[in-house]
Amino acid sequence: MVVPRRRYTLSLPDGRSLELGARTLLMGIVNVTPDSFADGGAFLDPSRAVAAAEALEAAGADLIDVGGESTRPGAEALPADVECARVLPVLDALARRVRVPVSIDTYKAEVARRALDAGASMVNDVSALRYDPAIARVAAGSGAPLVLMHSRGRSRAMYREARYADVAAEVTRELASAVRAATAAGVARTQIVVDPGLGFAKRAEQTLELLGRLPALGALDRPVLVGPSRKSFLSLALGERPPSEREWGTASAVAAAVILGAHIVRVHAVAPHVDVVRVADSIRAQAALQ
């Protein structure tokens, strides 16, 4: 049985709104980094990053997520000034060049503040406020929606924290705590999106279980963002292969996420996943009629 997907409205700082739930939205990824696991170095040059974002929009992206620091397991932390030097030229250009909202993928309050000033409309925090709690006040002050992604530990040691008696229940409980912390810092609850953090402080088996039990996050009554794109957990089913050869596996995970209730899916290659999402949304709609 398909669980009904609730509808939500996020208010953006520029006065627009983002409607979630009627259909699944696609968030396209632009990594302005030399060491991303999936496309490291491809878009480090600002002009190439801007062109990539424009191509994602043309392919059907509803949002663009720009990040300047790799958060893959084992990645080194980056100073805020270096991160800003990477992302701000891209955000400045995108403010004039794309129509869809742009999200800043960062866990640092200073980077978020400067990114929002440069035209970003949303903050995507992979630490769910654990690394720099002040980022919640930045989001609250700007009126930007805030994505809280579940993880444990830092990138270099997150798998040490991959111990769960009940992964879906524990992730839901820890995200609920992050939501409370965000609202205590002034973020409107209606502006919060939650992300189960596939692959972050979770072994492959745990990640697959968590994705399969995605409806558990419905207890939070917040829209859900899911990011399975090209991640290593897919190799449990596919066998070992490089990220560039995990696109079909990504498509399966995206379809499952949509059918199980995700409001937003975050992917590297938007064009093929437009079709995946349309079909999965159609399946949801037909199942709801039964």
Side-chain angles (χ1 to χ4, degrees):
M1 178 179 175
V2 172
V3 177
R5 183 166 57 186
R6 297 170 186 152
R7 298 193 180 191
Y8 301 95
T9 300
L10 301 178
S11 300
L12 303 179
D14 62 7
R16 293 183 292 171
S17 60
L18 202 60
E19 301 299 326
L20 304 178
R23 65 180 180 87
T24 307
L25 303 189
L26 278 155
M27 174 182 275
I29 302 168
V30 177
N31 290 314
V32 193
T33 65
D35 57 347
S36 169
F37 80 95
D39 54 10
F43 308 122
L44 189 56
D45 175 78
S47 63
R48 294 185 68 184
V50 171
E54 290 180 305
L56 291 173
E57 180 185 44
D62 300 289
L63 304 122
I64 304 294
D65 195 37
V66 176
E69 176 180 338
S70 174
T71 51
R72 60 178 172 77
E76 295 282 355
L78 194 71
D81 59 342
V82 176
E83 190 175 344
C84 284
R86 291 178 180 176
V87 300
L88 293 182
V90 176
L91 294 169
D92 283 331
L94 291 181
R96 303 184 299 274
R97 303 275 287 272
V98 301
R99 297 177 300 280
V100 298
V102 178
S103 168
I104 179 64
D105 178 3
T106 187
Y107 57 81
K108 301 182 185 76
E110 176 64 14
V111 176
R113 182 187 64 77
R114 296 180 64 181
L116 291 165
D117 288 345
S121 298
M122 180 182 295
V123 177
N124 183 7
D125 177 13
V126 300
S127 81
L129 310 184
R130 292 182 303 108
Y131 296 170
D132 188 355
I135 199 169
R137 293 195 297 275
V138 170
S142 70
L146 176 63
V147 179
L148 300 173
M149 192 197 81
H150 179 272
S151 186
R152 291 176 176 175
R154 289 276 181 169
S155 291
R156 290 186 62 81
M158 65 171 61
Y159 286 136
R160 297 176 191 169
E161 306 296 326
R163 299 185 298 273
Y164 302 90
D166 183 329
V167 66
E170 290 173 54
V171 167
T172 301
R173 184 166 60 249
E174 289 167 29
L175 281 172
S177 178
V179 169
R180 288 193 295 272
T183 57
V187 180
R189 184 179 175 83
T190 53
Q191 291 288 81
I192 296 172
V193 177
V194 295
D195 179 343
L198 302 184
F200 283 78
K202 300 164 192 78
R203 304 288 180 186
E205 297 88 346
Q206 295 164 336
T207 299
L208 288 169
E209 178 185 350
L210 181 58
L211 178 56
R213 296 175 62 193
L214 194 65
L217 294 184
L220 300 173
D221 192 17
R222 301 309 316 136
V224 176
L225 184 155
V226 176
S229 191
R230 303 177 182 173
K231 288 183 176 177
S232 61
F233 78 89
L234 298 167
S235 294
L236 186 65
L238 301 176
E240 288 303 322
R241 59 181 69 179
S244 62
E245 296 179 14
R246 298 174 188 157
E247 210 61 64
W248 284 108
T250 296
S252 296
V254 165
V258 173
I259 291 170
L260 291 169
H263 294 79
I264 305 169
V265 289
R266 182 178 180 272
V267 296
H268 294 87
V270 166
H273 296 296
V274 169
D275 288 351
V276 173
V277 164
R278 284 174 178 165
V279 172
D281 272 340
S282 295
I283 293 170
R284 279 192 59 87
Q286 290 300 316
L289 298 176
Q290 303 307 311

